[in-house]
Amino acid sequence: MTNNHEHYQNKATEAEKGIHTDFINNMTYGEYLKLEDILSSQNRLSEHHDEMLFIIIHQVSELWMKLILHETNAAIESIQADDLPTSFKRLARVSKIQSQIIQAWDVLSTLTPAEYMEFRDSLGQASGFQSYQYRLIEFALGYKTGHILKIYEKDSMLHQTLTKAYHAPSLYDVSIQALAKAGLHVNPDLLQRDFSKPYEEDVTVRDAWLTVYRDVDKYWDLYQLAEKLVDIEDWLQQWRFRHMKTVERIIGFKVGTGGSSGVNYLKKVLDQRFFPELWDLRTEI
């Protein structure tokens, strides 16, 4: 037994001889990821132990949202370039990221009401309601709310970024344009509309998607695109539901730190729809 142990230990040592240990003139893992900056950004404003959990959950969610935006905006560009297969890969990744964000609520829900109230006042008026990346995701998916822009006037560059996204075509807008490019009849007013306005359901879009679903072989790429969009809205609504239930579990029906109605507001947004025709057609097929 001892000989076998020494044999495997020697093999392990031999295999590890190539591991780099001299980083005087080379970049390290921590330097590449800028871990010093990231890991020094969890600064509690109270002395309460659980504020660390609260900060990290929200920071991690913001990192995932950054990747969602990276992939969604790239998918929009791919669709505009008539490269639907590339968009599928990017949109599929978005759905996987969404599953990670949803699971984060399970960790936050370990925070009890009594624990949260110990440091809630330290947050002031800061609130997840103000997350600009979440607003950019909403804009990218087509839910445009102009009054929200006022929240970000404090930072002119951020306000400019949001304003640009507010006026840009959404993922659904470019998908509707893809329907028209494929020769399906779409109301021409939708193709060059004011993209800052909320999208309203249109019978020609419904009929175009119905045609796709009734002839999948002919319109395979558009069919795949439609299902990727449904995945994303499905996961987004699940994220919103878990958000609402976690908030209700921790603070009940108190007003949010940012002044919103809290749970009541979160329940209301569950009724928002991004790709309405793709859900409605399921009744008609």
Side-chain angles (χ1 to χ4, degrees):
M1 180 67 71
T2 302
N3 289 337
N4 284 340
H5 175 72
E6 290 177 353
H7 172 72
Y8 286 116
Q9 190 174 41
N10 290 335
K11 285 190 70 174
T13 302
E14 188 69 26
E16 292 172 2
K17 283 185 176 179
I19 294 177
H20 294 286
T21 57
D22 182 1
F23 287 96
I24 299 299
N25 297 309
N26 295 296
M27 178 176 65
T28 66
Y29 169 82
E31 289 170 338
Y32 172 67
L33 294 177
K34 302 217 178 333
L35 288 182
E36 186 61 36
D37 294 337
I38 294 172
L39 298 179
S40 62
S41 297
Q42 293 73 48
N43 302 310
R44 290 179 293 168
L45 297 179
S46 74
E47 296 299 319
H48 198 277
H49 173 85
D50 291 324
E51 189 182 354
M52 183 66 74
L53 161 69
F54 192 81
I55 291 170
I56 288 176
I57 286 291
H58 288 84
Q59 288 182 340
V60 168
S61 293
E62 290 290 339
L63 283 172
W64 280 129
M65 283 193 276
K66 182 172 184 176
L67 188 54
I68 286 175
L69 286 166
H70 179 70
E71 299 295 342
T72 302
N73 289 328
I76 289 173
E77 292 176 2
S78 295
I79 296 168
Q80 288 176 316
D82 302 325
D83 183 6
L84 296 187
T86 297
S87 76
F88 302 156
K89 171 70 174 180
R90 290 165 176 166
L91 295 175
R93 183 174 290 163
V94 169
S95 293
K96 292 297 185 182
I97 298 165
Q98 288 174 300
S99 70
Q100 294 295 312
I101 294 184
I102 290 169
Q103 290 178 15
W105 293 120
D106 293 338
V107 183
L108 186 59
S109 66
T110 64
L111 181 69
T112 69
E115 291 163 346
Y116 181 52
M117 293 309 295
E118 289 289 325
F119 63 86
R120 187 180 192 234
D121 288 345
S122 300
L123 306 181
Q125 294 179 329
S127 165
F129 183 83
Q130 299 148 16
S131 168
Y132 70 85
Q133 290 200 122
Y134 179 73
R135 297 304 171 188
L136 286 170
I137 290 171
E138 284 192 328
F139 289 176
L141 298 182
Y143 185 70
K144 305 292 182 73
T145 46
H147 68 279
I148 289 294
L149 294 173
K150 184 171 179 58
I151 295 173
Y152 310 100
E153 289 179 346
K154 181 178 181 179
D155 185 330
S156 60
M157 289 187 66
L158 175 57
H159 187 266
Q160 185 178 355
T161 297
L162 282 151
T163 301
K164 181 179 178 181
Y166 178 68
H167 289 282
S170 71
L171 178 62
Y172 199 44
D173 287 317
V174 299
S175 297
I176 290 171
Q177 291 170 357
L179 290 172
K181 288 178 182 178
L184 294 161
H185 174 63
V186 172
N187 180 355
D189 292 340
L190 295 177
L191 304 178
Q192 297 296 330
R193 71 184 190 88
D194 181 352
F195 297 120
S196 68
K197 304 295 183 185
Y199 174 76
E200 296 183 4
E201 295 179 49
D202 187 277
V203 65
T204 65
V205 173
R206 183 203 64 190
D207 290 345
W209 285 125
L210 272 171
T211 299
V212 169
Y213 274 76
R214 286 171 174 163
D215 195 346
V216 171
D217 290 338
K218 181 177 179 181
Y219 298 106
W220 177 252
D221 279 355
L222 289 171
Y223 172 69
Q224 286 279 86
L225 174 60
E227 286 298 295
K228 292 293 186 291
L229 297 182
V230 170
D231 285 342
I232 286 173
E233 181 164 350
D234 190 350
W235 282 109
L236 180 65
Q237 295 294 51
Q238 291 186 53
W239 180 88
R240 284 174 159 179
F241 180 79
R242 289 295 294 123
H243 184 187
M244 181 268 292
K245 293 307 292 184
T246 303
V247 171
E248 184 177 1
R249 176 173 176 158
I250 295 173
I251 69 168
F253 286 82
K254 293 184 182 74
V255 173
T257 51
S260 75
S261 57
V263 169
N264 287 325
Y265 169 79
L266 296 173
K267 284 185 175 180
K268 183 175 68 175
V269 300
L270 285 171
D271 293 329
Q272 294 171 0
R273 301 205 300 172
F274 294 90
F275 318 127
E277 292 88 356
L278 291 176
W279 293 95
D280 292 343
L281 66 79
R282 279 154 165 74
T283 305
E284 299 186 44
I285 292 176

